[in-house]
Amino acid sequence: MYQYRWHDTRKIDLPLGKVVCVGRNYLDHIKELNNTIPEQPLLFMKGNNALADMTLPLAIPERGECHNELEIALLIGEQLDADSKDVSNAVLGVGLALDFTLRDVQSELKAKGYPWERAKAFDASCPVSPFVPFNDIDDVSGLCFSLTVNGEIRQQGDAKMMMLSWQRLLQEIASVFTLYPGDVVLTGTPKGVGKIQSGDSLVAEMSEHLTITTRVA
Ligand code: ZN
């Protein structure tokens, strides 16, 4: 089973929790999939079965077209709920996550108005990087991140371009789902989603803090 770690490889003593994700938080990604801007944040969840180590070869299902969505991930260290006033103290670590998505399966589910779990919440559908302590990052909103696939930059994100800032996103999520220590929040993907396949080499970077080199198994 996966174990949360700091970027210096020390273990983080937290249980694996749920992963709460936001769809459509970057305008450029909404446009690339011809989606509409949601009236309220589009939230969905993955269970702790989804968590996996991004530094190890990434297993993807063969039953559909698996797309990359690289996102900034916030590891929750303190409980947050609808009554929480200050959300920033609840974040223990900041890292990257891949919100793997079976895009063809998701399109079928969307068309029928069905939930997305079969496309989004399968085992190992959320590989996460080691985490950087929140206090070591000056400003989460100032983070840039990128995903390179087989030597070509596919995604470039800038946390400033989130439609809902990470603080407002945490407030919104906590008003619906109490967040517990060990939960992870994904903050949305910028444009550049696309198919990945067995053998692809991936490099995920987050400003000067993280460079993860990995591959698809
Ligand atoms: Zn996503």
Side-chain angles (χ1 to χ4, degrees), residues 2 4-8 12 19-20 26 51-55 69-77 90-99 126-137 139-147 157-159 162 166 169-170 183-190 204-212:
Y2 175 65
Y4 293 123
R5 287 187 187 275
W6 295 115
H7 64 331
D8 63 6
I12 301 176
V19 182
V20 186
Y26 287 84
L51 291 162
D53 187 340
M54 191 191 283
T55 67
E69 293 190 2
L70 186 70
E71 315 195 4
I72 292 178
L74 307 173
L75 178 61
I76 303 299
V91 178
L92 185 70
V94 182
L96 292 169
L98 281 161
D99 168 18
C126 188
V128 294
S129 72
F131 288 87
V132 179
F134 178 79
N135 292 332
D136 289 358
I137 293 178
D139 175 14
V140 172
S141 300
L143 291 173
C144 292
F145 57 105
S146 66
L147 179 70
D158 178 340
M162 288 182 196
W166 64 273
L169 179 62
L170 284 182
D183 288 347
V184 173
V185 168
L186 266 52
T187 52
T189 187
E205 291 183 90
M206 185 177 81
S207 294
E208 71 276 24
H209 297 287
L210 288 174
T211 301
I212 311 296

Side-chain angles (χ1 to χ4, degrees), residues 26-42:
Y26 287 84
L27 200 56
D28 58 353
H29 172 63
I30 293 176
K31 286 181 179 162
E32 79 175 338
L33 292 187
N34 288 319
N35 281 323
T36 53
I37 297 174
E39 285 167 27
Q40 58 178 358
L42 194 169

